[in-house]
């Protein structure tokens, strides 16, 4: 019973095996990819392991405090930012091994040529509630 | 209307329906419906209208059985009509008086069946034994209600072929209750209190020293709850807790239950853990803690269950009993990358924290500060991470 974030990167992760940008896939290949992702989420709902899944727009703005009474400063987007998050799925599973297994399945989503992308997904455990019994 | 009383009747009412021939999954659904109905129609004041015929407060269990059985029959009829098998419900046995035998225990076994994963067993236990609804359980574990509903219905399917009248293994039930107590978030449903209630109910249904041991362990830790966190939510370590805020009544109850269990001379891991908690609870100040006895209990625990977390905690106790050097020696015997500790994807998370503490007591502040910072990186929860970061900062400020 632990939550994990399966993190998908636009940039910053090692290159996938089937490394063809999505805009060079056929429309059918894109549909097959989207269908795979939806089916995966639905299956996890069925197993009682799904918590959340979201996708992010690639362009973000940096914002910071600029002192009392002043509007926040905004900057960006920065094209050179090394790491860029594409989206995530949050799962609630019984073990770390199960989280890795599911990330592996998600990484098999089809891409160009209908072949698995083998993209690198990052698995990050959530910080949980502190246990009651520690000594 | 007393919600806890109502929920405490859940397992025996489910069991009665199963005895009458309902399958477990349908019986459980019918009882959940009856609980909702009870909340809706039962008087909020038990003294209101005692002369009413059929006042549920006269016999709450009988009322629940009647309503749940009716719900079950309705559902079965609807089902039968759908499948055009009218003979199905005709064969259902007529409702008879509630059997004298209490099958509550069987329900605990079923909901903790070894074929279930830990999270499924926890969810099913909270619903079918605890009488909590799916929404409450989902909120308690911070998952969507639809996810929790699926987890519960899958769990029901998993145990659908299990015979209800077969004795189960108490140890699996205890592991589930321990998880509910130890790994709950602090939401609207007080899972620790619920775990204590369910363990108390189990102790009433079966005479077993480890059930008593677990109940004592829970009570002894629960008694310290108010002192464990500062108003800002930060963790207060045992040695710094205001012992005046410990609940002495609950401690006394835990100690009494533990002593009766230990007198049976069938030691198990929960009794040993409870004995350690009792020794802490017994010390008027942290300095007066009987660490020598605590080390002896850790030796027993190591003998009963040789897991790296126990040996890590033993190293802390050795450090207190025989000095930090002895603690560090005990720690050195522990490999912090042992595979059994990596189920969270971490090496033994508290290894660095313990090493930091022992080095600090040994006067090596530089090493201690470095290890506290390392331990903070590995901490499995936010409260611990903040605590460890503060320890590192405290030592760095002194150097």
């Amino acid at each position: 019973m632990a939550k994990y974030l399966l993190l998908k990167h636009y940039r910053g992760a090692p290159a996938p095996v089937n490394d063809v940008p999505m805009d060079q896939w056929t429309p059918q290949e894109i549909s097959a990819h989207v269908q795979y992702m939806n089916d995966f989420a639905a299956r996890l709902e069925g197993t009682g392991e799904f918590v959340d899944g979201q996708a992010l727009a690639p362009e973000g703005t940096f914002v910071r405090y600029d002192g009392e009474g002043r509007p926040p400063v905004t900057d960006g987007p920065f094209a050179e930012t090394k790491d860029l998050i594409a989206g995530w799925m949050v799962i609630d599973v019984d073990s770390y091994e199960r989280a890795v297994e599911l990330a592996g399945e998600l990484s098999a989503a089809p891409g160009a040529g209908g072949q698995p992308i083998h993209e690198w997904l990052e698995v990050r455990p959530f910080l949980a509630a502190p246990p009651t019994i520690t000594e | 209307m007393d919600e806890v009383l109502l929920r405490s009747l859940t397992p025996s009412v489910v069991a009665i329906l199963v005895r009458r021939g309902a399958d477990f999954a349908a019986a459980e659904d019918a009882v959940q419906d009856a609980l909702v109905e009870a909340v809706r129609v039962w008087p909020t004041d038990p003294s209101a209208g005692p002369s009413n015929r059929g006042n549920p407060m006269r016999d709450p269990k009988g009322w629940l059985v009647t309503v749940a059985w009716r719900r079950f029959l309705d559902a079965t009829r609807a089902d039968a009509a759908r499948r055009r098998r009218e003979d199905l419900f005709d064969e259902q046995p007529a409702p008879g008086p509630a059997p004298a035998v209490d099958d509550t225990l069987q329900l605990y076994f079923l909901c903790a069946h070894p074929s279930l994963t830990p999270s499924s067993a926890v969810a099913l236990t909270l619903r079918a034994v605890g009488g909590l609804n799916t929404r409450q359980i989902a909120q308690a574990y911070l998952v969507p209600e639809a996810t929790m509903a699926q987890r519960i219905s899958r769990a029901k399917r998993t145990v659908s072929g299990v015979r209800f009248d077969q004795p189960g293994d108490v140890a699996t039930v205890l592991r589930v209750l321990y998880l509910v107590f130890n790994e709950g978030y602090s939401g609207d449903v007080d899972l620790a209190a619920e775990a204590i209630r369910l363990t108390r109910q189990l102790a009433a249904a079966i005479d077993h020293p480890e059930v008593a041991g677990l109940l004592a362990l829970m009570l002894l830790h629960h008694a310290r709850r108010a002192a464990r966190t500062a108003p800002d939510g930060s963790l207060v370590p045992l040695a710094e807790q205001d012992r005046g805020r410990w609940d002495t009544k609950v401690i006394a109850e835990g100690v009494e239950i533990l002593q009766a269990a230990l007198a049976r001379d069938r030691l198990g891991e929960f009794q040993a853990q409870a004995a350690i908690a009792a020794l802490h609870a017994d010390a008027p100040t942290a300095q007066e803690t009987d660490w020598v006895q605590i080390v002896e209990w850790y030796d027993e625990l190591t003998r009963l269950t040789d897991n790296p977390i126990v040996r890590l905690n033993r190293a802390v106790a050795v450090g207190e009993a025989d000095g930090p050097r002895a603690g560090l020696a005990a720690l050195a015997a522990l490999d912090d990358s042992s595979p059994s500790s990596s189920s969270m994807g971490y090496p033994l998370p508290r290894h660095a924290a313990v090493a930091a503490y022992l080095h600090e007591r040994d006067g090596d502040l530089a090493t201690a500060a470095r290890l506290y910072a390392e331990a903070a990186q590995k901490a499995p929860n936010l409260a611990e991470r903040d605590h460890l970061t503060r320890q590192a900062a405290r030592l760095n400020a002194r150097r």
Side-chain angles (χ1 to χ4, degrees):
Chain A
M1 287 185 295
K3 291 191 179 66
Y4 291 87
L5 180 70
L6 310 186
L7 206 52
K8 187 182 161 88
H9 297 251
Y10 282 121
R11 282 202 300 272
V17 173
N18 187 2
D19 193 11
V20 180
M22 210 163 172
D23 56 14
Q24 290 167 35
W25 301 0
T26 67
Q28 290 78 12
E29 284 164 0
I30 293 173
S31 299
H33 179 82
V34 170
Q35 187 65 43
Y36 185 96
M37 305 302 271
N38 290 344
D39 290 349
F40 183 81
R43 191 156 55 81
L44 286 199
E45 263 183 61
T47 57
E49 295 175 309
F50 179 81
V51 179
D52 186 31
Q54 298 289 338
L56 293 175
E59 293 213 337
T61 309
F62 282 86
V63 180
R64 73 165 171 82
Y65 178 59
D66 197 38
E68 190 61 44
R70 298 161 66 98
V73 181
T74 62
D75 205 354
F78 299 107
E80 71 277 17
T81 306
K82 270 196 299 197
D83 192 61
L84 195 56
I85 304 303
W88 66 77
M89 192 171 283
V90 178
I91 56 175
D92 187 40
V93 290
D94 274 301
S95 66
Y96 173 71
E97 289 74 17
R98 175 67 177 155
V100 168
E101 180 188 351
L102 289 174
E105 286 178 32
L106 191 57
S107 163
Q115 295 303 307
I117 305 176
H118 299 268
E119 79 181 311
W120 291 93
L121 296 173
E122 196 180 355
V123 177
R124 303 266 304 265
F126 275 49
L127 292 180
T132 312
I133 300 170
T134 49
E135 76 256 13
Chain B
M1 206 268 313
D2 180 347
E3 196 211 317
V4 172
L5 163 82
L6 189 61
R7 291 203 285 109
S8 72
L9 298 169
T10 306
S12 61
V13 175
V14 172
I16 287 168
L17 263 63
V18 172
R19 284 273 166 186
R20 284 183 180 176
D23 67 279
F24 165 66
E28 205 277 326
D29 282 336
V31 174
Q32 281 275 334
D33 284 350
L35 291 173
V36 171
E37 183 70 2
V39 172
R40 198 174 66 80
V41 306
W42 286 18
T44 44
D45 176 6
S47 62
S51 59
N52 287 353
R53 270 165 51 91
N55 181 346
M57 293 318 288
R58 284 208 185 137
D59 178 13
K61 187 165 153 183
W63 187 93
L64 282 173
V65 170
T66 306
V67 173
W69 183 252
R70 204 181 296 139
R71 291 294 169 114
F72 165 72
L73 286 184
D74 288 347
T76 308
R77 279 193 193 99
D79 226 24
R82 248 198 320 276
R83 288 180 289 163
R84 302 202 176 284
R85 282 174 55 193
E86 296 289 337
D87 55 334
L88 182 78
F89 77 86
D90 291 336
E91 287 170 11
Q92 298 295 343
V101 45
D102 187 352
D103 287 325
T104 297
L105 184 60
Q106 290 307 123
L107 214 58
Y108 276 90
F109 288 143
L110 186 68
C111 294
H113 195 267
S115 61
L116 295 167
T117 62
S119 55
S120 317
V122 162
L124 194 57
T125 299
L126 287 174
R127 205 176 116 121
V129 184
L132 292 171
N133 63 42
T134 304
R135 184 179 47 78
Q136 290 172 309
I137 303 167
Q139 280 176 354
Y141 287 99
L142 308 179
V143 299
E145 189 174 343
T147 294
M148 189 52 79
Q150 286 294 338
R151 196 178 291 180
I152 290 167
S153 64
R154 264 175 85 92
K156 283 178 166 183
R157 277 203 301 281
T158 302
V159 299
S160 63
V162 177
R163 278 185 55 187
F164 192 65
D165 53 359
Q166 298 232 315
D169 182 1
V170 176
T172 63
V173 177
L174 295 182
R175 273 195 292 276
V176 169
L177 296 174
Y178 180 89
L179 276 181
V180 174
F181 181 77
N182 202 34
E183 294 188 3
Y185 297 87
S186 43
D188 281 348
V189 175
D190 186 342
L191 286 174
E194 186 62 11
I196 289 173
R197 187 181 74 77
L198 295 180
T199 308
R200 217 187 265 286
Q201 190 172 266
L202 178 66
I206 185 171
D207 184 22
H208 192 295
E210 274 294 88
V211 177
L214 179 60
L215 179 56
L217 175 66
M218 289 177 176
L219 291 169
L220 289 163
H221 279 275
H222 204 58
R224 294 190 220 141
R225 183 153 81 160
R228 277 186 72 222
T229 38
D232 65 0
S234 61
L235 286 184
V236 183
L238 185 55
E240 291 161 30
Q241 286 173 17
D242 174 2
R243 296 181 180 223
R245 298 184 65 204
W246 289 0
D247 189 332
T248 48
K249 231 180 85 187
V250 175
I251 289 173
E253 190 197 355
V255 168
E256 192 183 327
I257 291 169
L258 174 66
Q259 281 172 341
L262 289 174
R264 313 263 305 268
D265 210 20
R266 281 167 56 204
L267 189 63
E269 59 173 307
F270 291 123
Q271 292 169 78
Q273 282 195 59
I276 291 164
L279 285 166
H280 284 301
D282 197 41
T285 64
Q287 291 70 35
E288 289 168 88
T289 308
D290 188 345
W291 287 104
V292 174
Q293 253 208 87
I294 289 178
V295 171
E296 287 170 11
W297 277 110
Y298 274 120
D299 290 338
E300 287 285 358
L301 252 181
T302 311
R303 198 174 51 73
L304 290 163
T305 146
D306 190 18
N307 82 51
I309 294 168
V310 168
R311 291 202 282 154
L312 187 63
N313 288 333
R314 184 182 170 279
V316 178
V318 169
E320 300 293 346
D322 302 330
R325 291 284 165 89
L328 285 166
L331 193 64
L334 246 168
D335 179 4
D336 72 345
S337 61
S338 83
S340 55
S341 62
S342 67
S343 62
M344 291 286 287
Y346 288 108
L348 198 51
R350 292 188 185 84
H351 191 280
V354 170
Y357 176 74
L358 291 169
H359 278 294
E360 181 185 353
R361 293 216 32 231
D362 194 36
D364 183 355
L365 302 192
T367 304
R370 180 179 56 75
L371 285 168
Y372 272 129
E374 184 189 320
Q377 291 293 313
K378 293 179 181 170
N381 65 71
L382 202 54
E384 248 170 76
R385 185 175 77 185
D386 292 348
H387 174 73
L388 292 165
T389 306
R390 245 179 243 120
Q391 299 302 311
R394 175 178 56 80
L395 292 184
N396 285 330
R398 269 171 52 180
R399 287 195 293 130

